[in-house]
Amino acid sequence: MLDFAYARGVNLFDLSECYPAKDNDGRAETLFGRWLREREIARGSVVISTKVVGPGGDKVLPHRYDALGTPPGDRPSFAQPSKQQILDACEASLKRLGVDRIDLFEIHWPARYVPKFGESGARFNPDLAVSCPSFDEQLDAIEALLEAGKIAAWGVSNETTFGLTTFLERAKARHMPGPASIQNDYSLCDRRFETELAEACHHGDVGLLVFGAMCGGTLSGKYNRGRMPRDEARHREMPGYQARYTCAATLRAAEEYADLAAAHGLSPAHLALAWCYSRSFVASTILGARHVAQLEDQLDALAAAAKVTPALARDVDRVHHCCPNPNYSDTHGQYYAT
């Protein structure tokens, strides 16, 4: 898979200390590092992006501190992006990768009381405020890593407009680089980025790294009309994981988009990816594939970006207006007009 992607010109590889998600053990970093060494890949030819987890990522801690050789009694009891944990996470990632620099180091999700990953309600709730590392404490760690040359740039993920602009302002006041990227959900079924967050990124020169472009495979049409793939598939193997991608409203929208794709001579997968590839504010779109043929099809969708004409965009908008951002609804399709 890596050989094929690299040969096709893919140069940005997205990792995290909690990947693969089933195990939260950082094994993705270990495997990628092994590929770099065994294939003798020129270090400057790839961009390595990885992430430090936020609150709730406690399953990562044993693997992070095993990599560092930290005695059990000296380990934190819960995950959060405190200064020390950010420094520790970066060091563990460097060891697993077998490199001396990470090109892009991201804070995986906010250490604040905002809804994330399609949480029900998707609204700000100040009653959930808890003690958490400040913006400045996180920047203390990032600044130290930049000065030490252990990271070349940094970014945020699953972040809000308030969080992004606060990081930008605090970084500017410290005369240090601000976030270069924001890795957020964006797809035909989640277009929230297009509003004030896109404006903030434009003025802050922050690139969007899209994840969820295919809604975990749902927008390929493989789950349409009650089907369940017989072969390996994320929602078959991990039922309940990323449930926002399989809620009733998202499944209904996927059927609508599949019909729209057919009307424009596209496969459902190509429409979903071409939509992201064609957006001016998208810096890169992260792909997830299980085998080479699937990855090849996803890369071939680049050519379909030119087919996202104004007429097709208007048709996409019509579906979107009927069911706006269904990934963030647990209302089982109530947004649809009856």
Side-chain angles (χ1 to χ4, degrees), residues 181-265:
S181 65
I182 180 170
Q183 186 178 142
N184 274 30
D185 244 318
Y186 180 74
S187 69
L188 291 170
C189 288
D190 184 358
R191 293 173 57 182
R192 295 173 305 145
F193 179 87
E194 296 176 358
T195 56
E196 70 275 0
L197 189 47
E199 180 185 24
C201 286
H202 172 75
H203 289 290
D205 195 23
V206 179
L208 171 62
L209 298 183
V210 171
F211 81 87
M214 294 284 293
C215 296
T218 297
L219 285 175
S220 71
K222 67 173 69 175
Y223 301 97
N224 284 2
R225 294 171 175 83
R227 292 196 299 268
M228 178 59 70
R230 294 185 178 182
D231 57 349
E232 291 181 322
R234 178 183 302 190
H235 301 314
R236 178 186 179 90
E237 292 189 350
M238 302 172 67
Y241 175 66
Q242 296 181 322
R244 64 190 183 278
Y245 294 153
T246 54
C247 72
T250 302
L251 291 170
R252 174 73 179 275
E255 294 178 3
E256 298 277 353
Y257 285 121
D259 291 342
L260 178 59
H264 285 267

Side-chain angles (χ1 to χ4, degrees), residues 95-310:
K95 287 181 177 294
R96 284 190 290 262
L97 288 162
V99 298
D100 57 11
R101 187 195 73 252
I102 292 166
D103 299 302
L104 179 63
F105 189 61
E106 298 174 310
I107 299 170
H108 207 150
W109 59 86
R112 301 192 313 281
Y113 42 94
V114 294
K116 302 175 290 295
F117 306 118
E119 291 169 346
S120 178
R123 64 186 184 278
F124 165 72
N125 188 348
D127 296 331
L128 298 179
V130 295
S131 176
C132 57
S134 67
F135 287 97
D136 284 313
E137 180 179 352
Q138 294 172 76
L139 287 173
D140 285 343
I142 296 297
E143 189 170 27
L145 293 172
L146 287 167
E147 290 177 349
K150 294 186 176 182
I151 65 174
W154 70 284
V156 293
S157 183
N158 300 288
E159 191 51 277
T160 66
T161 303
F162 169 77
L164 176 70
T165 55
T166 301
F167 271 126
L168 284 165
E169 291 170 358
R170 299 287 176 85
K172 183 178 180 180
R174 298 163 68 115
H175 304 288
M176 64 173 284
S181 65
I182 180 170
Q183 186 178 142
N184 274 30
D185 244 318
Y186 180 74
S187 69
L188 291 170
C189 288
D190 184 358
R191 293 173 57 182
R192 295 173 305 145
F193 179 87
E194 296 176 358
T195 56
E196 70 275 0
L197 189 47
E199 180 185 24
C201 286
H202 172 75
H203 289 290
D205 195 23
V206 179
L208 171 62
L209 298 183
V210 171
F211 81 87
M214 294 284 293
C215 296
T218 297
L219 285 175
S220 71
K222 67 173 69 175
Y223 301 97
N224 284 2
R225 294 171 175 83
R227 292 196 299 268
M228 178 59 70
R230 294 185 178 182
D231 57 349
E232 291 181 322
R234 178 183 302 190
H235 301 314
R236 178 186 179 90
E237 292 189 350
M238 302 172 67
Y241 175 66
Q242 296 181 322
R244 64 190 183 278
Y245 294 153
T246 54
C247 72
T250 302
L251 291 170
R252 174 73 179 275
E255 294 178 3
E256 298 277 353
Y257 285 121
D259 291 342
L260 178 59
H264 285 267
L266 296 169
S267 70
H270 278 202
L271 173 62
L273 290 172
W275 176 259
C276 294
Y277 294 157
S278 68
R279 300 300 89 186
S280 62
F281 48 75
V282 171
S284 190
T285 300
I286 297 167
L287 304 176
R290 286 179 174 267
H291 47 75
V292 170
Q294 191 178 57
L295 177 58
E296 183 175 21
D297 184 63
Q298 292 175 355
L299 292 172
D300 287 346
L302 278 168
K307 297 183 179 181
V308 183
T309 61

Side-chain angles (χ1 to χ4, degrees), residues 17 52-62 64-65 72 74-86 88 109 111 130-133 137:
E17 64 172 343
V52 52
V53 301
D58 300 345
K59 292 181 180 179
V60 161
L61 297 182
R64 178 197 294 169
Y65 290 101
D74 296 333
R75 303 179 179 189
S77 56
F78 59 91
Q80 61 174 340
S82 64
K83 178 178 181 180
Q84 191 58 55
Q85 287 203 38
I86 291 174
D88 291 344
W109 59 86
V130 295
S131 176
C132 57
E137 180 179 352

